[in-house]
Amino acid sequence: MAAISRRQLQKSEFAVTAHQPASARRSRHRLAATIATLALVFGGIAPSWAAETVRVLLDRPIDAASTPVFTALEQNLFRAEDLNVNVIPGNGAANGNSDAISRLAAGEGDVALADINALIRYRDRANAAEIKAVYVVLNAAGYAIMARKSRGIQDLDDLDGKSLGYADGDPATAFWPALARLNNVPRDQVGLQRIGAAVREPMLSAGQIDAVMGLAYLSPVNLKDRGIPAADLAVFRYDEFGVAAYGLAVLVGPKFAVEKPEAVRGFLRAVNAALRFAIRSPAKAVDDVLAHMPSGAHDVELERLRNILDNNVLTEEVRRNGLGGINAERFAATVDLLSEGIKLRKKPALADIFDGSFLPPQASRTLQQR
């Protein structure tokens, strides 16, 4: 049903009752007010001042990585932008990727929180929807190889002769050939083993595999929670070994970007403010996440969030240029490295993948030196 404003409702009511006795008009006024209230409650009439609804798709189940969205919810930052935000978590697909981007393309959501390199891969398909990233949450992706020192792995070179688990479709896997080349790791001497994303930590914990590819803010924290001593974990972050890829980003569907540009800008202002809040008060921000994941543990998610902030958000580039943006030269270099692991039909330009026109003002994205 089309939206009807309060003014239109009052005009139509006046037209019907203007020539009736005062008592009858008062009764009809009361009846009309009651009907209007019930219609608003049950959704039959949408007020002209109603908040814009935004459906947010996550690329995995809720955890500290989605803090900006849930902090914006709990701190009423979306409400301040006149947005009604509904979050749809991912299901942690077995191949290492969720289908958030495909669901966004299908119109099942308006924006998504997903990996920008997965977006590059998606946009390389024929007839792909023109989804673009509009705000980079993780300036450093967090891709890493996690290994057990007790299995004889102290450095990347020690992967020679060891078993290395990977999940199909995982962006960390796509960058493995570049990582190996840059660090002279003999790929033919590493025993790659395809495994499901859900069994990475259990297999490494049980000693069924020597190392796994994944995210440095997921597997190490989960492994320690499973009882693996921190001193026994070797974490090789890709960005420390020459693969400085961008990571989690806010993506927007093409239809929503065209039809609701102010909603996109408001959404990003709220996310940006929430990320700044998390940087200042990580413990409070984690409480916002836990309000939506009742099975989560505060200490585990706080460790995860601090890991994310220290290693993936507060990079030197962010300290220089502010939150949310992308450096064109670094992006081009990243695409070159990605293309070593997956065959791209055409290397994309930055404008094909990222639209900076929705970003909040530079001053609101700039951080004071800590």
Side-chain angles (χ1 to χ4, degrees), residues 137-141 239-240 244-246 279 308-327 330 362 365-370:
V137 178
L138 301 188
N139 187 267
D239 60 314
E240 296 178 346
Y246 293 98
I279 292 168
I308 289 169
L309 294 174
D310 290 343
N311 296 296
N312 310 116
V313 173
L314 297 173
T315 66
E316 289 303 314
E317 182 176 303
V318 164
R319 294 184 189 281
R320 287 194 309 271
N321 303 330
L323 298 163
I326 282 184
N327 175 276
R330 179 181 161 195
Q362 180 70 34
R365 296 185 290 113
T366 301
L367 301 175
Q368 294 181 348
Q369 296 293 321
R370 297 200 331 176

Side-chain angles (χ1 to χ4, degrees), residues 221 225 286 290 296-306:
V221 177
D225 190 46
V286 162
L290 293 175
H298 188 275
D299 57 339
V300 172
E301 295 309 318
L302 180 57
E303 180 181 0
R304 196 185 316 281
L305 178 57
R306 284 176 170 156

Side-chain angles (χ1 to χ4, degrees), residues 147-150 204-205 219-235 303:
R148 299 283 299 276
K149 293 179 182 178
S150 57
L204 189 61
S205 177
S219 291
V221 177
N222 294 344
L223 286 164
K224 285 193 282 185
D225 190 46
R226 296 176 70 91
I228 304 301
D232 191 32
L233 285 176
V235 180
E303 180 181 0

Side-chain angles (χ1 to χ4, degrees), residues 145-153 158-165 190-191 193 203-205 207-213 232-234 236:
I145 291 174
M146 281 64 62
R148 299 283 299 276
K149 293 179 182 178
S150 57
R151 307 282 291 188
I153 302 174
D158 298 326
L159 290 173
D160 189 345
K162 302 294 185 181
S163 57
L164 175 60
V190 178
Q193 185 174 333
M203 289 186 69
L204 189 61
S205 177
Q208 296 172 300
I209 201 163
D210 298 314
V212 295
M213 300 181 201
D232 191 32
L233 285 176
F236 309 119

